[in-house]
Amino acid sequence: MSSTYLIALGSNRPHVLYGRPAGVLYAAMEEVAALGMVTARSNVVQTAPLGPARRRFANAALVLDSELAPPSLLAALKRMEREFGRRGAQRWGDRVLDCDIILWSGGRWRSAVLTIPHSAFRARDFVLGPASTIAPAWRDPVSGLSLAQCNARLTRARPLPR
């Protein structure tokens, strides 16, 4: 049975074949297509470093229809990260490629190694920005909000404290 996934991609280190982080993401989007059918791709956006990372990130999102179950897709994405040169490193540190399953058409999934929806996506504009451009109506199974609504809540202007 086919499932649909929202996958976020990020990079902030160059690759010997694909060049700058944006090139890494374009190549990764092509590689993900081997796991099913990519039905939507966001533009690649540049974002500020997160945590101890020192370099700016390139971020994107895609929608994938796949026969793979969530754990199998996660294993395939992690294998792809390693093939692109990712090594076990510091949390939020510099990386050639990072792929995360954000949402799944089956709703929620929880295991020792995978939680869907991704636990932090609602607070990350570098995920919600690209994702809301390609799947604005997709609803978060926890909050019930669409990605467009989640993004609007995260990015809305707030009054300055007095």
Side-chain angles (χ1 to χ4, degrees):
M1 183 166 104
S2 184
S3 293
T4 303
Y5 297 91
L6 175 67
I7 299 172
L9 302 103
S11 173
N12 74 338
R13 292 192 64 128
H15 186 276
V16 67
L17 294 176
Y18 308 119
R20 295 176 172 249
V24 171
L25 294 190
Y26 289 121
M29 285 191 247
E30 292 300 318
E31 290 294 318
V32 169
L35 305 175
M37 181 187 306
V38 175
T39 60
R41 300 172 196 228
S42 75
N43 290 327
V44 174
V45 297
Q46 301 295 317
T47 59
L50 178 67
R54 295 178 301 259
R55 297 179 173 111
R56 292 182 58 79
F57 275 84
N59 293 99
L62 61 81
V63 175
L64 176 72
D65 288 339
S66 178
E67 297 295 324
L68 296 174
S72 298
L73 178 61
L74 178 66
L77 292 172
K78 295 306 167 194
R79 185 172 46 254
M80 190 172 81
E81 289 177 350
R82 288 189 302 276
E83 289 169 357
F84 270 70
R86 181 165 177 180
R87 303 290 175 254
Q90 183 177 27
R91 182 179 174 123
W92 296 327
D94 294 330
R95 70 241 358 235
V96 175
L97 180 63
D98 184 40
C99 301
D100 291 315
I101 301 171
I102 304 301
L103 294 171
W104 168 51
S105 59
R108 298 180 192 196
W109 181 279
R110 187 164 193 87
S111 69
V113 296
L114 177 61
T115 300
I116 305 173
H118 190 285
S119 60
F121 89 92
R122 294 169 206 85
R124 294 181 171 173
D125 61 344
F126 59 87
V127 172
L128 284 172
S132 66
T133 65
I134 60 171
W138 196 333
R139 294 204 173 270
D140 170 10
V142 174
S143 69
L145 297 173
S146 70
L147 290 178
Q149 290 168 321
C150 290
N151 190 48
R153 282 185 172 199
L154 182 63
T155 59
R156 76 173 179 255
R158 292 177 174 80
L160 294 173
R162 294 177 188 219

